[in-house]
Amino acid sequence: MSKTLAPGLRLGWIAVPPALLDAVIAAKRLSGGGAGVLEQLTLARFMAGGGYDRHIRRSRLRYRKRRDLLVAALAGRASVTGIAAGLHALVPVPDEAAVIARAAERGLALHGLDHFRAPGGPAGGLVIGYARPADHAFAGALEALRSCWF
Protein backbone atom coordinates (compact mmCIF):
# COMPACT_ATOMS: atom_id res chain seq x y z
CA MET A 1 0.00 0.00 0.00
CA SER A 2 2.89 2.38 0.59
CA LYS A 3 3.77 2.33 -3.15
CA THR A 4 0.21 2.61 -4.40
CA LEU A 5 -1.31 5.07 -1.93
CA ALA A 6 0.86 6.72 0.69
CA PRO A 7 3.61 5.40 3.00
CA GLY A 8 2.34 7.58 5.84
CA LEU A 9 -0.83 5.53 6.11
CA ARG A 10 1.26 2.59 7.35
CA LEU A 11 -1.16 0.13 5.80
CA GLY A 12 -0.40 -3.15 4.12
CA TRP A 13 -0.92 -6.83 4.37
CA ILE A 14 1.03 -10.02 4.42
CA ALA A 15 0.13 -13.64 3.80
CA VAL A 16 1.75 -15.61 6.59
CA PRO A 17 1.99 -19.40 6.81
CA PRO A 18 0.10 -20.60 9.88
CA ALA A 19 3.30 -21.88 11.47
CA LEU A 20 4.77 -18.34 11.46
CA LEU A 21 1.66 -16.38 12.41
CA ASP A 22 2.35 -16.09 16.15
CA ALA A 23 5.95 -14.97 15.55
CA VAL A 24 4.88 -12.36 13.00
CA ILE A 25 2.19 -10.99 15.30
CA ALA A 26 4.70 -10.78 18.16
CA ALA A 27 7.24 -8.97 15.97
CA LYS A 28 4.59 -6.53 14.76
CA ARG A 29 3.57 -5.74 18.34
CA LEU A 30 7.20 -5.14 19.32
CA SER A 31 7.72 -2.76 16.41
CA GLY A 32 4.94 -0.52 17.67
CA GLY A 33 3.77 -0.23 14.11
CA GLY A 34 0.04 -0.57 14.28
CA ALA A 35 -2.27 1.02 11.75
CA GLY A 36 -5.11 3.22 12.91
CA VAL A 37 -8.62 1.83 12.85
CA LEU A 38 -9.95 4.80 10.88
CA GLU A 39 -7.33 4.29 8.18
CA GLN A 40 -8.09 0.58 7.98
CA LEU A 41 -11.83 1.16 7.70
CA THR A 42 -11.35 3.87 5.08
CA LEU A 43 -9.13 1.61 3.00
CA ALA A 44 -11.63 -1.25 3.31
CA ARG A 45 -14.40 1.01 2.02
CA PHE A 46 -12.16 2.35 -0.76
CA MET A 47 -11.40 -1.21 -1.86
CA ALA A 48 -14.97 -2.50 -1.52
CA GLY A 49 -16.33 0.39 -3.59
CA GLY A 50 -13.88 -0.21 -6.43
CA GLY A 51 -11.96 3.02 -5.83
CA TYR A 52 -8.69 1.24 -5.21
CA ASP A 53 -8.97 -0.76 -8.43
CA ARG A 54 -9.69 2.43 -10.42
CA HIS A 55 -6.72 4.13 -8.77
CA ILE A 56 -4.41 1.22 -9.66
CA ARG A 57 -5.56 1.17 -13.30
CA ARG A 58 -5.02 4.95 -13.67
CA SER A 59 -1.63 4.72 -11.98
CA ARG A 60 -0.46 1.84 -14.18
CA LEU A 61 -1.39 3.78 -17.30
CA ARG A 62 0.29 6.96 -16.05
CA TYR A 63 3.54 5.21 -15.10
CA ARG A 64 3.58 3.14 -18.28
CA LYS A 65 3.39 6.39 -20.29
CA ARG A 66 6.21 7.87 -18.20
CA ARG A 67 8.37 4.80 -18.77
CA ASP A 68 7.67 5.00 -22.50
CA LEU A 69 8.76 8.66 -22.47
CA LEU A 70 11.93 7.68 -20.60
CA VAL A 71 12.72 4.99 -23.17
CA ALA A 72 12.14 7.46 -26.01
CA ALA A 73 14.26 10.14 -24.34
CA LEU A 74 17.21 7.76 -23.98
CA ALA A 75 16.86 6.19 -27.45
CA GLY A 76 20.21 6.23 -29.20
CA ARG A 77 22.03 7.03 -25.95
CA ALA A 78 21.18 4.15 -23.63
CA SER A 79 18.77 1.24 -23.44
CA VAL A 80 16.23 0.66 -20.73
CA THR A 81 16.06 -2.94 -19.57
CA GLY A 82 13.68 -4.93 -17.43
CA ILE A 83 9.94 -5.30 -17.49
CA ALA A 84 7.67 -2.37 -18.28
CA ALA A 85 6.11 -2.24 -14.83
CA GLY A 86 6.79 -0.57 -11.53
CA LEU A 87 8.29 2.82 -10.80
CA HIS A 88 11.95 2.30 -11.71
CA ALA A 89 13.95 1.39 -14.78
CA LEU A 90 17.38 -0.16 -15.10
CA VAL A 91 19.73 1.51 -17.59
CA PRO A 92 23.08 -0.23 -18.17
CA VAL A 93 26.00 2.22 -18.47
CA PRO A 94 29.74 1.53 -18.55
CA ASP A 95 30.64 4.29 -16.07
CA GLU A 96 27.78 4.80 -13.64
CA ALA A 97 29.81 7.16 -11.40
CA ALA A 98 30.38 9.60 -14.28
CA VAL A 99 26.71 9.66 -15.28
CA ILE A 100 25.60 10.06 -11.65
CA ALA A 101 28.01 12.98 -11.22
CA ARG A 102 26.70 14.70 -14.37
CA ALA A 103 23.14 14.07 -13.22
CA ALA A 104 23.85 15.65 -9.84
CA GLU A 105 25.23 18.75 -11.61
CA ARG A 106 21.87 18.99 -13.38
CA GLY A 107 19.80 18.58 -10.22
CA LEU A 108 18.92 14.92 -10.72
CA ALA A 109 19.33 12.29 -8.03
CA LEU A 110 20.18 8.93 -9.60
CA HIS A 111 21.33 5.75 -7.93
CA GLY A 112 23.87 3.48 -9.49
CA LEU A 113 23.30 -0.22 -9.58
CA ASP A 114 26.16 -0.45 -7.10
CA HIS A 115 23.75 1.00 -4.49
CA PHE A 116 21.55 -2.09 -4.89
CA ARG A 117 23.96 -4.76 -6.07
CA ALA A 118 24.80 -7.86 -4.12
CA PRO A 119 28.52 -8.65 -3.95
CA GLY A 120 29.65 -10.05 -7.28
CA GLY A 121 26.53 -8.83 -9.09
CA PRO A 122 26.51 -7.17 -12.52
CA ALA A 123 28.32 -3.86 -12.82
CA GLY A 124 27.55 -0.61 -14.54
CA GLY A 125 23.98 0.55 -14.42
CA LEU A 126 21.57 3.16 -13.18
CA VAL A 127 18.30 2.69 -11.36
CA ILE A 128 16.07 5.52 -12.54
CA GLY A 129 12.82 6.27 -10.76
CA TYR A 130 10.24 7.93 -12.95
CA ALA A 131 7.32 8.32 -10.56
CA ARG A 132 8.43 11.29 -8.52
CA PRO A 133 8.79 14.30 -10.83
CA ALA A 134 5.56 16.28 -11.02
CA ASP A 135 3.83 16.12 -14.39
CA HIS A 136 4.80 19.69 -15.23
CA ALA A 137 8.47 18.94 -14.48
CA PHE A 138 8.77 15.52 -16.09
CA ALA A 139 9.76 16.67 -19.58
CA GLY A 140 12.49 18.91 -18.11
CA ALA A 141 13.77 16.07 -15.96
CA LEU A 142 13.97 13.81 -19.02
CA GLU A 143 15.88 16.46 -20.96
CA ALA A 144 18.32 16.90 -18.07
CA LEU A 145 18.72 13.12 -17.97
CA ARG A 146 19.41 12.97 -21.74
CA SER A 147 22.16 15.54 -21.31
CA CYS A 148 24.03 13.25 -18.91
CA TRP A 149 25.26 11.08 -21.79
CA PHE A 150 28.07 12.15 -24.12
Side-chain angles (χ1 to χ4, degrees):
M1 301 306 298
S2 67
K3 292 282 187 190
T4 59
L5 287 176
L9 289 176
R10 298 181 51 92
L11 292 174
W13 59 83
I14 184 172
V16 179
L20 298 176
L21 185 59
D22 290 338
V24 170
I25 290 171
K28 182 69 175 164
R29 283 191 182 127
L30 287 175
S31 74
V37 173
L38 182 59
E39 289 87 346
Q40 292 179 58
L41 292 172
T42 302
L43 177 62
R45 180 174 238 174
F46 188 49
M47 292 174 80
Y52 184 69
D53 288 337
R54 286 188 299 276
H55 168 70
I56 293 299
R57 281 193 299 277
R58 277 191 312 269
S59 296
R60 282 185 182 146
L61 178 62
R62 179 175 183 238
Y63 295 128
R64 175 56 193 251
K65 287 179 181 178
R66 282 179 170 232
R67 186 182 191 281
D68 291 347
L69 289 170
L70 171 66
V71 170
L74 295 180
R77 297 172 191 251
S79 61
V80 177
T81 65
I83 61 172
L87 305 174
H88 298 84
L90 177 61
V91 179
V93 295
D95 187 356
E96 67 184 51
V99 177
I100 291 170
R102 284 193 299 276
E105 291 169 2
R106 291 158 176 81
L108 299 174
L110 298 181
H111 289 292
L113 190 55
D114 191 46
H115 184 76
F116 301 96
R117 180 180 19 254
L126 301 173
V127 178
I128 300 175
Y130 48 85
R132 190 168 184 185
D135 288 339
H136 70 275
F138 194 66
L142 287 177
E143 186 53 40
L145 181 62
R146 280 175 49 89
S147 72
C148 295
W149 273 263
F150 297 109

